[in-house]
Amino acid sequence: MIFCGIDVAKDKHDCHIFSSDGEILCDIFSFPNSLEGFRSFHSLLSKCSNGNLDKIKVGLESTGHYSTNLLSFLKQLGVSVTLFNPLSVSQSRRACSLRRTKTDINDARYIAQLLVSDRSNPYHEQLYHFSSLKSLTRTRFRLNKELQPLKNRYRRSVHILFPELSSFFCNLYTNSCLSLLEVLPSAKDIASCNITKLSNILSSASHGRFKKEKALQLKQLATSSIASYNLGDAFELKLLIQRIRFLEMQKVELEKEIERILSELHSPITSIPGIGNVLGATILAEIGDINNFSSPAKLLAFAGCDPSTYQSGKFVAKNTPMVKHGSRYLRNALYLATTAAYISSPSFQAYISKKKEQGKHHYVAISHGMKKMSRVIFSVLKSNVPFVERF
């Protein structure tokens, strides 16, 4: 067997190759992240294995998009590939030397050595549906992260320009409110606006729900407002509304595409309480093939939701935090699904409430609920049978 460790980078990759007998076949070899570089690396692998690529086992860190194209190239060659968590490589480096000698070549050597001792399963390319869902759901996650600070700034601007508006609209993000503020961004503008124009804006944005009486109430509220007018804040509010609407529109498009792909999978995951189409797609995309996990505990560990342990001599720590070394997208989806199931599912509500009665903090009880959720997801996906609530 021939072991090849690759340290992946943006512009180039470094590799170290040795045989199962310990003979170093290639100590230092760097190739650019290009077609020519991939071809030169292919030639090196063929030379080291005498043309038999089945004898080669390649290992590399899971470094996100930097390794995507290289992974695709290696799978086309039919080479066995193992992905390592960067933390495993870092710990291996620290275990081998007390000196701070972090270099790309050394990392390639440590990855190659991990291939010999590690029992990780070879990397298998995901199905088209899973890889597409992963890109879409992670894009939606980032979109929400981008939206939140915009919404915070939007609320700040409204509080300065028309603080009483929150008592008029039950939700500041409704189409009626956004449409109004996009045209009249302050209490001063609303107070000086013609009642007919104001009534038309509200009626059009609310599809006729807001009549002239509502417009009169709003105008009176704006007239007695304590707001201080600032041209810069008013202009910023208009721009914020345009950006929020654009991102919300993109989010709707994403969710439609997510639901379309999810419908092709015919997965029973959405039968689980607290899991809708978006969360179901996120969980499926992050898990991939459920057969890669032999137990719910391994699925929980993959999400980084398992509790850390610390024991030394007779001391055993009781209050330990989550490991949080797994997929943050899966961990977030499990948390959201569990909090929703706590509201809608009698079995989850009873389970989490029991943990609270035992004296556990709310979030500790929710973490136990996440463990239960991972067991339910594992069972449903393994059996491919919809979830049935048990009272």
Side-chain angles (χ1 to χ4, degrees):
M1 201 69 185
I2 296 172
F3 303 97
C4 173
I6 303 176
D7 183 72
V8 176
K10 177 183 176 182
D11 300 318
K12 69 175 182 67
H13 311 302
D14 300 281
C15 73
H16 176 80
I17 305 174
F18 66 90
S19 67
S20 54
D21 298 328
E23 179 187 359
I24 296 177
L25 303 177
C26 178
D27 189 21
I28 301 173
F29 181 78
S30 298
F31 59 97
N33 191 23
S34 64
L35 182 59
E36 292 75 15
F38 286 3
R39 285 174 176 169
S40 63
F41 179 57
H42 181 199
S43 300
L44 176 66
L45 292 180
S46 298
K47 180 181 177 182
C48 292
S49 62
N50 294 322
N52 187 6
L53 297 180
D54 292 337
K55 298 190 332 186
I56 296 178
K57 190 175 182 181
V58 176
L60 59 152
E61 288 179 299
S62 179
T63 52
H65 63 281
Y66 287 146
S67 59
T68 301
N69 295 327
L70 180 60
L71 268 173
S72 178
F73 176 75
L74 291 172
K75 295 309 291 183
Q76 287 176 9
L77 295 179
V79 176
S80 175
V81 181
T82 300
L83 286 179
F84 292 107
N85 189 312
L87 185 62
S88 300
V89 180
S90 176
Q91 290 177 340
S92 174
R93 181 173 63 249
R94 291 178 183 178
C96 291
S97 174
L98 295 176
R99 300 174 63 189
R100 295 185 178 181
T101 53
K102 200 275 182 210
T103 64
D104 293 342
I105 293 300
N106 280 338
D107 283 350
R109 291 194 185 105
Y110 296 137
I111 292 171
Q113 291 166 8
L114 276 174
L115 278 171
V116 180
S117 57
D118 194 83
R119 297 181 180 179
S120 300
N121 295 324
Y123 168 79
H124 296 287
E125 198 166 6
Q126 286 189 334
L127 295 175
Y128 159 77
H129 295 90
F130 291 148
S131 59
S132 297
L133 281 178
K134 180 178 281 191
S135 297
L136 291 170
T137 53
R138 289 188 175 188
T139 300
R140 184 184 178 277
F141 181 87
R142 290 188 288 268
L143 205 60
N144 278 331
K145 289 287 186 183
E146 191 176 346
L147 263 168
Q148 194 54 55
L150 289 177
K151 289 183 174 181
N152 292 340
R153 286 163 59 191
Y154 164 77
R155 285 199 303 271
R156 168 195 171 274
S157 298
V158 171
H159 187 74
I160 293 172
L161 295 167
F162 196 174
E164 297 84 1
L165 193 64
S166 58
S167 63
F168 184 82
F169 290 103
C170 59
N171 185 350
L172 289 176
Y173 302 107
T174 60
N175 182 59
S176 303
C177 185
L178 292 173
S179 298
L180 170 69
L181 293 177
E182 196 170 9
V183 180
L184 305 169
S186 70
K188 179 184 176 182
D189 294 321
I190 295 172
S192 60
C193 180
N194 180 278
I195 190 64
T196 303
K197 179 181 177 181
L198 181 60
S199 180
N200 289 337
I201 292 172
L202 285 176
S203 178
S204 175
S206 64
H207 302 287
R209 192 163 52 90
F210 287 165
K211 307 295 183 182
K212 188 175 181 179
E213 293 77 14
K214 275 287 187 181
L216 287 169
Q217 291 176 22
L218 179 62
K219 189 175 178 69
Q220 185 179 0
L221 192 65
T223 304
S224 60
S225 175
I226 61 169
S228 56
Y229 180 76
N230 183 294
L231 178 63
D233 287 333
F235 191 76
E236 183 190 17
L237 181 58
K238 287 184 178 182
L239 296 179
L240 285 170
I241 291 172
Q242 291 172 11
R243 292 173 67 186
I244 289 171
R245 283 188 149 174
F246 176 71
L247 292 177
E248 289 286 2
M249 182 183 65
Q250 286 191 326
K251 196 166 122 178
V252 169
E253 290 181 11
L254 273 171
E255 289 174 355
K256 285 181 180 178
E257 188 63 18
I258 288 170
E259 290 175 5
R260 185 190 67 80
I261 297 176
L262 184 65
S263 65
E264 296 177 0
L265 289 173
H266 304 291
S267 174
I269 193 167
T270 52
S271 65
I272 302 172
I275 299 181
N277 289 333
V278 174
L279 283 182
T282 302
I283 293 168
L284 286 177
E286 295 301 320
I287 291 176
D289 187 0
I290 192 62
N291 294 316
N292 292 332
F293 303 93
S294 58
S295 67
K298 290 189 176 180
L299 177 59
L300 193 72
F302 178 72
C305 297
D306 54 328
S308 56
T309 56
Y310 186 86
Q311 181 271 332
S312 181
K314 294 182 179 180
F315 174 75
V316 180
K318 294 182 179 179
N319 298 319
T320 54
M322 279 186 182
V323 175
K324 292 188 179 180
H325 285 163
S327 168
R328 64 170 177 156
Y329 304 100
L330 179 57
R331 187 163 57 250
N332 179 68
L334 284 177
Y335 170 77
L336 294 175
T338 303
T339 52
Y342 178 51
I343 299 172
S344 61
S345 168
S347 60
F348 274 90
Q349 192 173 50
Y351 182 80
I352 294 173
S353 297
K354 181 181 178 182
K355 295 298 178 183
K356 285 186 175 183
E357 289 169 3
Q358 293 172 358
K360 299 188 185 297
H361 188 274
H362 171 75
Y363 288 111
V364 176
I366 290 292
S367 70
H368 282 275
M370 292 167 68
K371 189 173 182 180
K372 176 181 173 67
M373 180 64 74
S374 67
R375 292 196 297 267
V376 171
I377 290 171
F378 182 84
S379 175
V380 167
L381 294 183
K382 275 283 189 180
S383 62
N384 201 32
V385 175
F387 174 81
V388 177
E389 186 75 60
R390 295 179 182 177
F391 299 95

